[in-house]
Amino acid sequence: MRRIKEFLESFIVEFDWKDITIFKLCLTAFGIMIGISLPRKNKKAILAASGAVFIVSTILLFCGLFDVSCPFCQKEEEFDFDDDDENGLVMKISAADE
């Protein structure tokens, strides 16, 4: 199982936006096929569960998009304002690999 996980992690790193779009379309089509094949009596419960998953995942995606993080998950950074280091601010500039 670890080998499969490592393979998938290395494979997903190579994805660009087109690959992610195709992957999402594939999953959407798969979900529609499953939804069509469900018996009528189970559809309401599955609709509620999938709606909840949709809402939570959408909120998480938009939080990542707008760079909003959970206030309960952040660790407070401690700064030492009394540091008498006279080196000043050092700025590191690196060129992008082309």
Side-chain angles (χ1 to χ4, degrees), residues 4 9 23 63:
I4 293 172
E9 286 177 353
F23 182 69
C63 285

Side-chain angles (χ1 to χ4, degrees), residues 31 38 43-58:
L38 290 174
K43 285 190 180 184
K44 285 189 180 182
I46 294 175
L47 179 64
S50 63
V53 168
F54 173 77
I55 290 170
V56 169
S57 61
T58 303

Side-chain angles (χ1 to χ4, degrees), residues 58-68:
T58 303
I59 290 171
L60 292 174
L61 285 173
F62 276 104
C63 285
L65 177 67
F66 295 120
D67 198 27
V68 176

